[in-house]
């Protein structure tokens, strides 16, 4: 939990609602100016591979006045950028690593200087902030990420003990939060019976108003009621399945009342399957197979591993995993090029016959794109739909769609 320490008199509260906490909710702002225009984007990673609805995304990025890409390795997003800013790696700048599931905060020491024109992310943002008139807040000394960490990043009470000194006192350079003071002992397991939750009143085992696990509260129910839902669980799922299941009608939902930034929303409703449900319409068009997407084998992770010859040797091509029985009905042999098509787009992939997958499903991994240096393939997100988002969290459906296969 990090908040910018801008002087109160210089803070500006937005006068209009956020476009949404999921970036796919921004696309209409880029293309249609709805509910208001979005003209510029500064991004890292590779939206041109990882965001759903790739065809719509391309229209949106072309409509922007400015696109800036901060990255370690060039990828398909770099092709669309007006400016590409090469970023330094963790060992070239010193930084906090990815948060661990067991609450460990891990510090990565700077070992070498960045090469060429590469700069740490923090340097880029500080320089931008200084040019926008915030040089008194974004100080030159904060370009040292270790000093910035102690000065600004641990202002939250539960992080104040996670100082550089405490981190470097540990041989492995990590410490487990919450840690209120530098000398406090770490808490191995939170919320044990008879304990008080960090920062909670005495006797409150959990950090809730009641100190108990709260599955339903009046306040939570009011938030759900504004959406047309109930705080108590009611089953619904995504729109596209081989079996008839309840689905949520949320085509006009851009923002969720669970968001904090002054969002607006419209009530939605859970629809029971009928003759005109999305699944039935798609199955009638021949989309008879479940598409599952997810992480590839360990050899690849997003863009950067495609530059390593070892990873390229292990997994050179985008593949579609197919059960041998399913492959036999389509005349597909192991290694054949196959078209995978949904109602939202199509891609090609290499067939991998695998008896460990259900015959009625296929699997295509994420991480490839058409700009990969050695084995370019279109991203699986050409098959996904940017408009299918969960009404509560706002998160996109990236996992489950109906598709059909064709041998090339």
């Amino acid at each position: 939990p990090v908040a910018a320490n801008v002087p109160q008199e210089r803070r500006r509260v937005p006068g209009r609602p956020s476009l949404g906490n999921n970036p796919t909710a921004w696309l209409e702002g880029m293309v249609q100016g709805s509910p208001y225009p979005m003209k510029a984007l500064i991004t890292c990673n590779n939206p041109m591979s990882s965001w759903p609805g790739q065809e719509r995304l391309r229209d949106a990025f072309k409509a922007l006045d400015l696109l800036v890409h901060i990255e370690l390795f060039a990828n398909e997003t770099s092709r669309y950028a007006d400016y590409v800013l090469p970023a330094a790696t963790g060992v070239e700048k010193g930084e906090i690593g990815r948060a661990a599931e067991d609450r460990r905060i891990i510090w990565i020491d700077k070992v070498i200087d960045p090469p060429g024109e590469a700069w740490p992310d923090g340097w880029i943002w500080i320089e931008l902030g200084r040019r926008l008139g915030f040089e008194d807040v974004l100080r030159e000394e904060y370009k040292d990420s270790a000093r910035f960490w102690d000065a600004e990043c641990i202002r939250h009470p539960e992080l104040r003990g996670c100082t550089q000194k405490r981190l470097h006192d540990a041989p492995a350079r990590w410490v487990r939060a919450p840690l209120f003071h530098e000398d406090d002992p770490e808490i191995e397991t939170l919320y044990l019976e008879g304990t008080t939750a960090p920062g909670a009143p005495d006797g409150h085992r959990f950090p809730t108003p009641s100190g108990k696990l709260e599955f339903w509260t009046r306040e939570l129910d009011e938030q759900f009621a504004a959406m047309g839902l109930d705080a108590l669980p009611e089953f619904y799922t995504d729109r596209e399945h081989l079996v008839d299941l309840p689905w949520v009608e949320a085509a006009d939902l851009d923002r969720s009342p669970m968001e904090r930034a002054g969002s607006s929303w419209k009530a939605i409703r859970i629809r029971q399957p009928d003759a005109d449900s999305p699944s039935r319409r798609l199955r009638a068009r021949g989309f008879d197979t479940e598409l599952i997407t997810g992480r590839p084998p360990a050899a690849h992770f997003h863009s950067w591993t495609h530059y390593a010859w070892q990873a390229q040797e292990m997994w050179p091509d985008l593949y579609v995993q197919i059960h041998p029985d399913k492959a036999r009905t389509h005349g597909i042999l192991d290694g054949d090029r196959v078209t995978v098509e949904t109602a939202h787009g199509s891609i090609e992939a290499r067939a991998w016959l695998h008896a460990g997958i259900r015959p009625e499903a296929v699997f295509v991994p994420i991480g490839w794109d058409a700009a990969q240096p050695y084995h370019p393939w279109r991203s699986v997100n050409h098959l996904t739909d940017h408009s299918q988002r969960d009404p509560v969290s706002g998160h996109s459906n990236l996992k489950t769609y109906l598709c059909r296969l064709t041998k090339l």
Side-chain angles (χ1 to χ4, degrees), residues 223-229 253 256-258 265-269 391-392:
Q223 286 183 303
F224 275 100
M227 303 173 67
L229 298 174
L253 181 75
S256 162
M258 304 302 172
W265 62 90
K266 299 179 181 179
I268 56 94
R269 59 178 176 153
V392 178

Side-chain angles (χ1 to χ4, degrees), residues 23-69:
T24 58
W26 309 342
L27 301 190
E28 299 313 308
M30 297 178 191
V31 178
Q32 303 287 353
S34 175
Y36 52 83
M38 181 174 178
K39 293 294 187 180
L41 178 68
I42 303 176
T43 184
C44 56
N45 301 320
N46 189 7
M48 288 299 190
S49 173
S50 59
W51 289 14
Q54 286 290 309
E55 298 305 325
R56 186 61 167 169
L57 178 62
R58 278 153 175 73
D59 293 338
F61 276 16
K62 289 175 183 176
L64 289 171
D65 290 345
L66 176 68
L67 177 62
V68 181
H69 192 214

Side-chain angles (χ1 to χ4, degrees), residues 275-292:
D276 194 41
S277 68
S279 287
R280 289 197 182 185
R281 292 199 303 269
L282 289 171
R283 298 199 300 265
R285 292 169 55 188
F287 294 103
D288 58 355
T289 303
E290 287 181 336
L291 167 67
I292 310 298

Side-chain angles (χ1 to χ4, degrees), residues 203-215 217:
H204 276 51
R205 179 179 175 183
F206 299 100
T208 61
S210 67
K212 301 176 181 179
L213 287 175
E214 296 182 354
F215 296 97
T217 66

